[in-house]
Short mmCIF file of all heavy atoms in Angstrom, two decimals:
data_model
loop_
_atom_site.label_atom_id
_atom_site.label_comp_id
_atom_site.label_asym_id
_atom_site.label_seq_id
_atom_site.Cartn_x
_atom_site.Cartn_y
_atom_site.Cartn_z
N THR E 268 7.87 6.10 1.17
CA THR E 268 8.87 6.47 0.16
C THR E 268 8.22 7.32 -0.93
O THR E 268 8.75 8.37 -1.33
CB THR E 268 9.48 5.19 -0.47
OG1 THR E 268 9.94 4.35 0.57
CG2 THR E 268 10.62 5.52 -1.40
N VAL E 269 7.06 6.88 -1.41
CA VAL E 269 6.40 7.60 -2.51
C VAL E 269 5.98 9.00 -2.06
O VAL E 269 6.22 9.99 -2.78
CB VAL E 269 5.18 6.79 -3.02
CG1 VAL E 269 4.38 7.61 -4.02
CG2 VAL E 269 5.64 5.49 -3.67
N VAL E 270 5.41 9.12 -0.87
CA VAL E 270 4.95 10.44 -0.41
C VAL E 270 6.14 11.36 -0.17
O VAL E 270 6.12 12.54 -0.54
CB VAL E 270 4.08 10.29 0.87
CG1 VAL E 270 3.79 11.66 1.49
CG2 VAL E 270 2.77 9.58 0.54
N SER E 271 7.20 10.82 0.41
CA SER E 271 8.39 11.64 0.67
C SER E 271 8.99 12.16 -0.64
O SER E 271 9.30 13.35 -0.79
CB SER E 271 9.43 10.83 1.44
OG SER E 271 10.60 11.58 1.61
N GLY E 272 9.14 11.24 -1.62
CA GLY E 272 9.72 11.63 -2.92
C GLY E 272 8.83 12.62 -3.65
O GLY E 272 9.32 13.61 -4.24
N ALA E 273 7.52 12.39 -3.59
CA ALA E 273 6.58 13.31 -4.27
C ALA E 273 6.62 14.69 -3.62
O ALA E 273 6.64 15.71 -4.32
CB ALA E 273 5.17 12.72 -4.20
N ALA E 274 6.66 14.72 -2.28
CA ALA E 274 6.69 16.01 -1.58
C ALA E 274 7.95 16.79 -1.95
O ALA E 274 7.90 18.00 -2.20
CB ALA E 274 6.64 15.78 -0.07
N ARG E 275 9.08 16.08 -2.01
CA ARG E 275 10.35 16.74 -2.36
C ARG E 275 10.30 17.27 -3.79
O ARG E 275 10.69 18.40 -4.08
CB ARG E 275 11.50 15.73 -2.19
CG ARG E 275 12.85 16.26 -2.61
CD ARG E 275 13.99 15.73 -1.75
NE ARG E 275 14.07 14.30 -1.61
CZ ARG E 275 14.80 13.49 -2.42
NH1 ARG E 275 15.46 13.99 -3.44
NH2 ARG E 275 14.86 12.20 -2.18
N TRP E 276 9.78 16.46 -4.71
CA TRP E 276 9.71 16.84 -6.13
C TRP E 276 8.78 18.04 -6.31
O TRP E 276 9.12 19.00 -7.02
CB TRP E 276 9.23 15.64 -6.94
CG TRP E 276 9.38 15.77 -8.43
CD1 TRP E 276 10.43 15.36 -9.19
CD2 TRP E 276 8.43 16.35 -9.34
NE1 TRP E 276 10.19 15.63 -10.52
CE2 TRP E 276 8.98 16.24 -10.64
CE3 TRP E 276 7.18 16.94 -9.19
CZ2 TRP E 276 8.32 16.71 -11.78
CZ3 TRP E 276 6.51 17.42 -10.32
CH2 TRP E 276 7.09 17.29 -11.60
N LEU E 277 7.62 18.00 -5.65
CA LEU E 277 6.65 19.10 -5.80
C LEU E 277 7.21 20.39 -5.21
O LEU E 277 7.01 21.48 -5.79
CB LEU E 277 5.33 18.72 -5.11
CG LEU E 277 4.48 17.68 -5.86
CD1 LEU E 277 3.39 17.11 -4.95
CD2 LEU E 277 3.85 18.28 -7.12
N ALA E 278 7.90 20.29 -4.07
CA ALA E 278 8.46 21.49 -3.45
C ALA E 278 9.51 22.13 -4.36
O ALA E 278 9.65 23.35 -4.41
CB ALA E 278 9.07 21.14 -2.09
N ALA E 279 10.25 21.28 -5.11
CA ALA E 279 11.30 21.80 -6.00
C ALA E 279 10.72 22.35 -7.30
O ALA E 279 11.16 23.40 -7.79
CB ALA E 279 12.31 20.70 -6.30
N LYS E 280 9.72 21.67 -7.88
CA LYS E 280 9.23 22.02 -9.23
C LYS E 280 8.01 22.94 -9.20
O LYS E 280 7.76 23.67 -10.16
CB LYS E 280 8.85 20.74 -10.00
CG LYS E 280 9.93 19.70 -10.06
CD LYS E 280 10.91 19.97 -11.17
CE LYS E 280 11.92 18.83 -11.26
NZ LYS E 280 13.01 19.08 -12.15
N TYR E 281 7.19 22.86 -8.17
CA TYR E 281 5.96 23.66 -8.11
C TYR E 281 5.87 24.38 -6.75
O TYR E 281 4.88 24.23 -6.06
CB TYR E 281 4.72 22.77 -8.28
CG TYR E 281 4.51 22.24 -9.68
CD1 TYR E 281 5.18 21.10 -10.13
CD2 TYR E 281 3.62 22.86 -10.56
CE1 TYR E 281 4.99 20.61 -11.41
CE2 TYR E 281 3.42 22.38 -11.85
CZ TYR E 281 4.11 21.25 -12.26
OH TYR E 281 3.91 20.76 -13.53
N PRO E 282 6.89 25.15 -6.35
CA PRO E 282 6.86 25.74 -5.01
C PRO E 282 5.64 26.66 -4.84
O PRO E 282 5.38 27.52 -5.67
CB PRO E 282 8.17 26.54 -4.93
CG PRO E 282 8.61 26.71 -6.35
CD PRO E 282 8.06 25.56 -7.13
N GLY E 283 4.87 26.43 -3.79
CA GLY E 283 3.70 27.26 -3.48
C GLY E 283 2.53 27.08 -4.42
O GLY E 283 1.53 27.78 -4.32
N GLU E 284 2.62 26.14 -5.37
CA GLU E 284 1.52 25.95 -6.34
C GLU E 284 0.68 24.72 -5.98
O GLU E 284 1.03 23.96 -5.09
CB GLU E 284 2.11 25.79 -7.75
CG GLU E 284 2.79 27.05 -8.26
CD GLU E 284 3.39 26.83 -9.65
OE1 GLU E 284 2.66 26.40 -10.55
OE2 GLU E 284 4.61 27.05 -9.78
N GLN E 285 -0.42 24.57 -6.69
CA GLN E 285 -1.34 23.46 -6.40
C GLN E 285 -1.63 22.67 -7.68
O GLN E 285 -2.77 22.64 -8.17
CB GLN E 285 -2.68 24.02 -5.85
CG GLN E 285 -2.57 24.78 -4.55
CD GLN E 285 -2.46 23.87 -3.34
OE1 GLN E 285 -3.04 22.79 -3.30
NE2 GLN E 285 -1.68 24.29 -2.35
N PRO E 286 -0.64 22.02 -8.27
CA PRO E 286 -0.93 21.22 -9.47
C PRO E 286 -1.81 20.02 -9.10
O PRO E 286 -1.88 19.65 -7.93
CB PRO E 286 0.46 20.75 -9.90
CG PRO E 286 1.26 20.71 -8.65
CD PRO E 286 0.75 21.84 -7.79
N VAL E 287 -2.45 19.43 -10.12
CA VAL E 287 -3.26 18.23 -9.85
C VAL E 287 -2.31 17.02 -9.85
O VAL E 287 -1.82 16.61 -10.91
CB VAL E 287 -4.38 18.05 -10.91
CG1 VAL E 287 -5.23 16.83 -10.57
CG2 VAL E 287 -5.23 19.31 -11.00
N ALA E 288 -2.05 16.52 -8.67
CA ALA E 288 -1.03 15.46 -8.53
C ALA E 288 -1.60 14.30 -7.72
O ALA E 288 -2.26 14.50 -6.71
CB ALA E 288 0.21 16.01 -7.84
N VAL E 289 -1.31 13.10 -8.21
CA VAL E 289 -1.73 11.87 -7.53
C VAL E 289 -0.50 11.01 -7.29
O VAL E 289 0.41 10.96 -8.13
CB VAL E 289 -2.77 11.09 -8.40
CG1 VAL E 289 -2.99 9.67 -7.89
CG2 VAL E 289 -4.10 11.85 -8.44
N ALA E 290 -0.48 10.34 -6.14
CA ALA E 290 0.57 9.33 -5.86
C ALA E 290 -0.13 8.04 -5.50
O ALA E 290 -1.23 8.05 -4.93
CB ALA E 290 1.46 9.79 -4.72
#
Side-chain angles (χ1 to χ4, degrees):
T268 308
V269 172
V270 171
S271 176
R275 176 145 53 92
W276 192 93
L277 286 165
K280 307 276 185 189
Y281 288 83
E284 293 178 55
Q285 298 281 325
V287 182
V289 167

